[in-house]
Amino acid sequence: MTAAIIDGKAFAANLRAKVGELAAAFEAEAGRKAGLAVVLVGEDPASQVYVRSKGKQTVEAGMASFEHRLPAETPEADLLALVEQLNTDPAVDGILVQLPLPGHMDEQKVISTINPDKDVDGFHVISAGRLAVGQPGFVPCTPLGCLMLLKDRLGSLSGLDAVVIGRSNIVGKPMAQLLLAESCTVTIAHSRTQNLPEVVRRADIVVAAVGRAEMVKADWIKPGATVIDVGINRVPAAEAGKTRLVGDVDYAGAMDVAGAVTPVPGGVGPMTIAVLLRNTLVAAYRNAGLELAADAI
Ligand code: GUN
């Protein structure tokens, strides 16, 4: 049996189109565009690529993009002052401070300065708390994207066994909370987990978010399971001097056992920015005091 390929790229394109329609409706109702501010400190090349992509997709969705680029040596106080200015700017619905920040800055302190009602990254402790207790708030984009793919594939997740490999604040922990809220039986595995292959073998749903190339092997996967691969790892390619991207799952092996698998690239990756746009649109409706139907997006 060959597993189905979960097409995150197509799903993300659909989601962006839906955000675009609702962004136009928002603009007509509110008399202004929904706005996303992205702050980049320093010149990390990967971050520059992400930030450019976010800005481009924000504008393509019919929303306003405010980009703030600060030099790497910017004092932390100046960044905090910028975040506070964005907090009170009525044109800004969502604030994203690109991570990682330069070493002299305290990331937690910076994130804590963001108004939780504009925290479209979902990294603020208030957002994490709201997710944990089931209050409306913002959920980190990558795990929310994974959940959307899972629900699209499986419908109800109620009662399913889910194993999340990785316990980061950005993916593993919020992913586990989302699956729990869908009534899965959730296990969070990590680098100290004993008998990891056995733990993964129980799972109807596997979410791999560890950052280790092709760590999850075919014989760890329960036949028919749905496998979501969050990993993006660069490894040497067959051709000398070249590299290629692989996930945290042995994709070729998993294709022989699983029911469905996300590819890398083209699976979870494209979902992250699409969900960021979705979160920004939701923030805009809430901040403007306008109604957005619960099932609208
Ligand atoms: N760096 C890598 N991914 C992300 C993300 O989703 N949000 C932020 N703020 N920084 C990142």
Side-chain angles (χ1 to χ4, degrees):
M1 195 184 79
T2 302
I5 298 170
I6 297 176
D7 190 346
K9 197 173 163 190
F11 192 102
N14 246 323
L15 181 56
R16 286 198 304 272
K18 239 187 283 175
V19 170
E21 283 169 27
L22 290 166
F26 175 82
E27 188 175 353
E29 264 192 273
R32 66 171 182 87
K33 285 185 192 293
L36 173 65
V38 175
V39 182
L40 173 62
V41 187
E43 273 152 28
D44 177 69
S47 292
Q48 285 183 319
V49 173
Y50 286 135
V51 165
R52 203 172 314 126
S53 204
K54 284 167 190 169
K56 183 165 168 274
Q57 293 187 33
T58 302
V59 170
E60 279 170 6
M63 305 198 282
S65 169
F66 307 99
E67 260 182 48
H68 296 267
R69 290 166 184 266
L70 306 178
E73 61 278 6
T74 301
E76 186 187 73
D78 291 10
L79 174 60
L80 297 176
L82 171 60
V83 170
E84 273 162 9
Q85 180 207 314
L86 297 171
N87 279 344
T88 55
D89 184 339
V92 172
D93 296 294
I95 301 169
L96 182 147
V97 178
Q98 184 68 26
L99 303 179
L101 289 170
H104 67 283
M105 290 184 174
D106 177 346
E107 287 187 352
Q108 272 312 318
K109 187 170 170 190
V110 173
I111 291 166
S112 300
T113 307
I114 297 171
N115 176 350
D117 295 329
K118 297 190 177 187
D119 177 34
V120 286
D121 247 340
F123 293 169
H124 196 292
V125 287
I126 297 273
S127 298
R130 285 175 175 164
L131 174 61
V133 300
Q135 284 177 8
F138 293 106
V139 176
C141 302
T142 300
L144 184 52
C146 293
L147 185 77
M148 287 177 180
L149 295 177
L150 282 167
K151 289 175 78 167
D152 182 60
R153 171 83 201 159
L154 297 170
S156 168
L157 310 185
S158 180
L160 296 179
D161 260 308
V163 172
V164 179
I165 316 173
R167 54 175 155 178
S168 71
N169 290 335
I170 292 178
V171 182
K173 285 182 206 167
M175 187 76 243
Q177 293 286 3
L178 286 168
L179 291 165
L180 186 59
E182 296 294 329
S183 302
C184 290
T185 302
V186 182
T187 303
I188 308 180
H190 46 77
S191 55
R192 304 292 174 89
T193 296
Q194 294 181 10
N195 303 323
L196 180 60
E198 241 168 79
V199 171
V200 175
R201 228 171 267 134
R202 288 203 300 262
D204 305 302
I205 294 169
V206 180
V207 180
V210 270
R212 293 185 55 182
E214 300 177 321
M215 186 186 84
V216 177
K217 305 300 180 198
D219 67 354
W220 299 17
I221 295 167
K222 175 168 155 178
T226 304
V227 179
I228 304 291
D229 190 348
V230 184
I232 301 176
N233 309 290
R234 206 165 266 292
V235 298
E239 198 181 333
K242 299 249 166 139
T243 61
R244 64 193 176 98
L245 289 183
V246 298
D248 292 347
V249 177
D250 167 18
Y251 180 73
M255 285 298 291
D256 289 337
V257 186
V261 186
T262 59
V264 176
V268 173
M271 291 298 291
T272 300
I273 296 181
V275 175
L276 175 69
L277 302 180
R278 179 259 176 214
N279 281 358
T280 303
L281 182 84
V282 171
Y285 271 91
R286 284 188 197 148
N287 294 341
L290 295 172
E291 244 353 278
L292 179 65
D295 61 351
I297 192 150

